[in-house]
Amino acid sequence: MRRTFTATAVAGGTAALLLTGVSAASAHVEATPDNTAANSYSLLTFAIPHGCDQAGTTKMTITLPQELNDAQPTVNPNWTASKVTEELPQPKKLADGSSITKRTSQIVYTAKAPLSHELRDTLVLSVKLPDMAGKTLYFPTLQSCETGQTDWSQIPQAGQDEESLKTPAPSVTITPAKADDGHGGHGAAASGDGMAQTAETTPADNHGNDDGGAEARSWAGLAAGIGGLVLGGVALLRGRRPATK
């Protein structure tokens, strides 16, 4: 009996710790790409897991890294999207030989109604990744709420673990280009070499990519912990049955 209770308690404690792990994995605003190959198009899904100190989220301002000239926001029926542009200090020459004098510096999503702290949503940007394999792009994101705000803009220093940061900026690391990349990808995506003229009209999939593999692994671990808890309960019931003569 004592051993059975111990096993059950351990399984229950494991499940509780795994639940805590799931919460921690979902605590940050993260960017999940559907593709990371250099010089290719990618859909970046920004997850909004919670509000600011339990206040509803009203606006998400995503700052683009200097390596990107533009991004195309995907329509989300719960938000309105707009672009902020900036003049470049000097013309920037593109790979096709043309030049630009301004770029999109931010994408601003404004909630039509505050997103409750208990709910989550995703925002999707279409971008063309630069031909810079090994480069990590950071997207500082300001989360504005009904009261207060959270500035997800911390960038790790050389050798610093990103997990040690309290409010890390969402990031994407570019991988080597694929042989057939550069012209395909997302047909209506924004071009990384110029300013997109129209916005994508496909509604965002709020149940697609969200918090990345970390959350999936956390849920798998949680399932294993709950399984152990059930087995412990079965063992307890068996232990309480009277012995047969």
Side-chain angles (χ1 to χ4, degrees), residues 4-224:
T4 300
F5 276 122
T6 301
T8 303
V10 170
T14 300
L17 288 173
L18 288 171
L19 277 170
T20 301
V22 169
S23 177
S26 306
H28 297 163
V29 173
E30 298 179 347
T32 302
D34 73 338
N35 174 49
T36 57
N39 198 35
S40 65
Y41 293 103
S42 180
L43 292 177
L44 309 182
T45 300
F46 291 78
I48 312 171
H50 57 72
C52 315
D53 294 327
Q54 302 189 359
T57 299
T58 58
K59 184 185 294 184
M60 297 292 290
T61 303
I62 303 171
T63 298
L64 303 183
Q66 291 294 325
E67 292 81 1
L68 299 182
N69 299 321
D70 194 23
Q72 188 170 3
T74 300
V75 172
N76 182 316
N78 302 318
W79 305 73
T80 58
S82 61
K83 294 184 180 183
V84 176
T85 60
E86 66 176 6
E87 294 289 334
L88 297 175
Q90 58 185 16
K92 181 177 181 179
K93 190 173 183 179
L94 305 179
D96 62 2
S98 63
S99 298
I100 58 174
T101 58
K102 63 181 180 178
R103 63 180 286 270
T104 299
S105 59
Q106 293 179 326
I107 301 295
V108 180
Y109 275 97
T110 303
K112 295 179 180 179
L115 176 66
S116 172
H117 175 76
E118 290 80 12
L119 302 179
R120 62 182 304 284
D121 206 342
T122 55
L123 306 173
V124 183
L125 300 184
S126 176
V127 303
K128 185 177 181 182
L129 300 175
D131 192 6
M132 304 174 70
K135 176 74 174 179
T136 297
L137 303 179
Y138 292 94
F139 296 78
T141 301
L142 180 62
Q143 180 180 10
S144 301
C145 299
E146 292 176 291
T147 56
Q149 60 185 24
T150 302
D151 190 6
W152 303 95
S153 61
Q154 290 182 309
I155 297 175
Q157 301 298 316
Q160 184 179 16
D161 184 4
E162 185 172 324
E163 294 299 322
S164 67
L165 302 177
K166 184 178 180 180
T167 55
S171 63
V172 174
T173 299
I174 302 174
T175 56
K178 298 177 182 178
D180 58 349
D181 276 344
H183 300 286
H186 310 285
S191 170
D193 294 333
M195 302 292 292
Q197 299 300 318
T198 59
E200 206 169 298
T201 56
T202 303
D205 180 1
N206 295 337
H207 303 285
N209 294 333
D210 41 35
D211 296 328
E215 183 172 359
R217 290 192 294 272
S218 297
W219 281 112
L222 173 60

